[in-house]
Structure formats: structure tokens, C-alpha cells
Amino acid sequence: MEVEQELDLLSHLIPADHFVTAFSTSTHLVHAKVVHVDLDDKKLGAHKVSSRTKHERVRPPASSHNRSRAPDKAWEAVYPKGSLNPSGDIPGGFGLYLNGPPAFAKQLETAKEAIFSYRMMLQDDWEWVKGGKLPGIFGGVGDLAYACTGGRQEKRCQCFDLRAMWRAKAEGELYAYLPLTEENKDRLTSVPPKSVSNNDYGISVGRGAFDLKKALGNWVTIAFRVKLNNLDCNDGELEMWVDGESVIKCDGLSFRSEKDGKIKGMHFQTFFGGNGPEWASPKEQKAWFSDITGAILC
């Protein structure tokens, strides 16, 4: 039974048949190719950390479902009453970028395909309001890879950013910023059950493909895979899993138009919003994030 649990956790955090190398902050994930890393900013290569919010390392509350192998350390996100996106008057959640421990980050510079994942839990009485963002994966050309979100239009061909998002009533989706090409728009907006192109912002991909009610008082695993396109080809791929189940998948994409376009790591950001007071958290709420994992497939 113990071995089955280990294999299950591996398939949730790294849902791939094979990988070259990986790291994880999970103390329960044991594999010859996985290097254990402490849940620590410096050791994870965290940078561009938001100065308006905190992500304190805490012992998370016990899972209400009493599942085994629950994390014993987590980053705690606090969303004060009235908090909104990072530019709002009341900051909430937290935000940073990370590319993994040094050896992994070095190999990531030449990687064509990678998976990044984490486990998350929301407080039991979480209120969804209209929606909010959860961590994901990002990349691009040098420093242009950063700040790809928030309605950015300039040099969008040199960055990409894929984050999970919750909507009202716990509907889940992938919120995607990719180079602004008609091919990308056509492919992403064709993903079921519903995908919407938001003027001047990203594309809501696969809205309703998963339900985040299961994260209320319970650990849920979110994983993302990106396979970069070959230059001058629309053959890139993205995929998203929830608890080891593939919920969103799309191919025929372009993530880059030059060889310096790279997979950079994780955009580890979470907040309520959207824009406008109708998106704000109605009370102080908390979420926990742990078992941060990265794997290079090729």
C-alpha cells in the first residue's frame, strides 16, 4: 500500500512517462531522478518577489479529508477583505517567479519540454466571488518573459504565461497569455468545454474543465506541461492536470519566434481578480501551497 501511495503522488506531481531530471519540495516524493529541495526562496531560485505581500512558510492546517502524505510545510497566502489584483489598494495573495535550484535552472535553459506543479488547499469556507488567479508556468526571451500578464500588448511575441484560474462557483480554467497570433487564438479558443478571448487581456481556456470545490480543506495537485514549438512552426503544446487527470490539452501552438525563447519556470502568483470591486475578497481568506515540483522532459 505504501508503494502505491508513492507512485500516485509521483503521477500527480510529474504526470509523464519519463523525465530527465526533477526537483521537489515534497518530502514524500522519492525517486532516483528527483532532487529534494527545501521550501525556501533562495533554494528554489525565487526572484522578483512582490514587496506588497507575504508568503510565510507555515505548518498548514490538517486536511479535512484526512488524506495521507499531506505536506507539513506550506506557503500561506492571505487575501484580506477587499483585496484585489496586485495593483489594487488592498494587496492580497502573493507573487514571485522561480526557476528551481541552480543545477535544475541551468538545465532548464536548454529544455524544450517541462512540467511544473504544486499542491494547494483552500480554507473550508472559501468564497469564490467572481474569480482569481493561481500559480502557473511562464517563459520567453530574457527579461521580456516577465510581466507578460495584466493586459500587456507590447512584445507579446517574446513571452508566454499560463496560470490556473478559479471562476464563480469553483469553475476552473487555464488563463493563457501567448504570442498574439491568429493560429494561437484559434487553437486556444477551440478548447472545450468553453474558451473565451478577452479583449486586451489573456484567453480563458477550458472554462469548466475542472472543479476546484475539491480544494476546500483538501490538498489538490495542479500540474502544467509546455512543449516549445520549433522555430517557424506551430507545433508547440500545453497541457494541464488536476490530481493526475488531464483536464486541458492543446497543440498546434507557437510559444516563441526566436531561439532565445525559453521555458523560464513558475509564475507563482495568486490573488482575487479581475478588475473592479466586484472581484474583491468579501472577507479575509487563506490558501496554502506546497510540494513545488519541476521536471525536464527533454
Side-chain angles (χ1 to χ4, degrees):
M1 186 65 179
E2 188 75 10
V3 173
E4 290 178 355
Q5 290 176 334
E6 286 186 13
L7 291 173
D8 185 60
L9 184 58
L10 177 64
S11 69
H12 283 198
L13 288 170
I14 310 177
D17 293 333
H18 67 276
F19 56 94
V20 177
T21 187
F23 75 89
S24 182
T25 65
S26 172
T27 57
H28 301 299
L29 185 58
V30 180
H31 188 282
K33 293 183 179 179
V34 179
V35 176
H36 177 259
V37 181
D38 195 20
L39 185 64
D40 175 85
D41 281 17
K42 185 175 181 180
K43 293 178 180 178
L44 285 169
H47 55 286
K48 295 187 180 293
V49 180
S50 172
S51 61
R52 303 187 70 205
T53 54
K54 297 180 180 180
H55 56 289
E56 293 184 350
R57 192 173 76 169
V58 302
R59 185 174 185 86
S63 169
S64 60
H65 293 264
N66 195 30
R67 290 190 175 182
S68 62
R69 301 191 176 277
D72 58 3
K73 297 176 183 177
W75 280 338
E76 183 176 73
V78 179
Y79 313 82
K81 180 179 180 180
S83 64
L84 204 54
N85 60 60
S87 61
D89 293 335
I90 303 175
F94 65 84
L96 56 86
Y97 293 87
L98 65 85
N99 46 25
F104 180 90
K106 183 66 176 177
Q107 288 182 267
L108 190 61
E109 292 177 4
T110 57
K112 186 175 181 181
E113 186 175 9
I115 287 174
F116 285 91
S117 60
Y118 56 89
R119 295 171 80 189
M120 59 167 285
M121 179 170 66
L122 305 174
Q123 67 181 52
D124 287 318
D125 59 346
W126 182 268
E127 294 188 32
W128 306 98
V129 199
K130 292 189 67 175
K133 304 299 192 303
L134 294 166
I137 186 171
F138 84 107
V141 178
D143 286 344
L144 292 173
Y146 298 99
C148 194
T149 60
R152 170 176 156 184
Q153 300 297 305
E154 295 182 356
K155 298 184 178 179
R156 278 281 300 280
C157 62
Q158 294 176 305
C159 68
F160 63 86
D161 194 292
L162 306 167
R163 291 170 296 170
M165 182 172 183
W166 79 83
R167 292 280 181 173
K169 300 180 181 179
E171 274 194 320
E173 67 177 51
L174 178 67
Y175 202 75
Y177 281 86
L178 261 65
L180 296 170
T181 68
E182 284 302 313
E183 292 84 356
N184 279 346
K185 181 178 178 180
D186 289 345
R187 297 297 295 170
L188 292 172
T189 54
S190 68
V191 174
K194 178 182 180 180
S195 295
V196 180
S197 179
N198 303 294
N199 292 336
D200 298 329
Y201 288 92
I203 296 178
S204 298
V205 180
R207 186 178 300 175
F210 57 98
D211 190 322
L212 280 171
K213 287 190 182 75
K214 63 169 68 177
L216 299 176
N218 183 49
W219 289 102
V220 170
T221 307
I222 308 290
F224 307 85
R225 176 180 66 90
V226 162
K227 182 178 181 180
L228 295 175
N229 59 290
N230 290 303
L231 296 182
D232 300 320
C233 296
N234 295 316
D235 57 358
E237 301 175 7
L238 67 79
E239 189 166 6
M240 181 178 177
W241 294 263
V242 176
D243 281 345
E245 177 186 357
S246 179
V247 293
I248 293 173
K249 189 174 183 179
C250 188
D251 58 14
L253 299 170
S254 174
F255 291 94
R256 59 177 181 169
S257 58
E258 55 187 280
K259 65 179 181 179
D260 290 334
K262 311 288 186 182
I263 301 170
K264 291 285 192 177
M266 300 188 79
H267 185 189
F268 220 95
Q269 183 186 51
T270 178
F271 57 86
F272 275 77
N275 291 290
E278 69 274 15
W279 291 82
S281 180
K283 61 183 181 182
E284 180 177 285
Q285 306 198 73
K286 293 182 179 180
W288 298 270
F289 299 87
S290 192
D291 290 1
I292 298 165
T293 302
I296 294 172
L297 276 58
C298 66

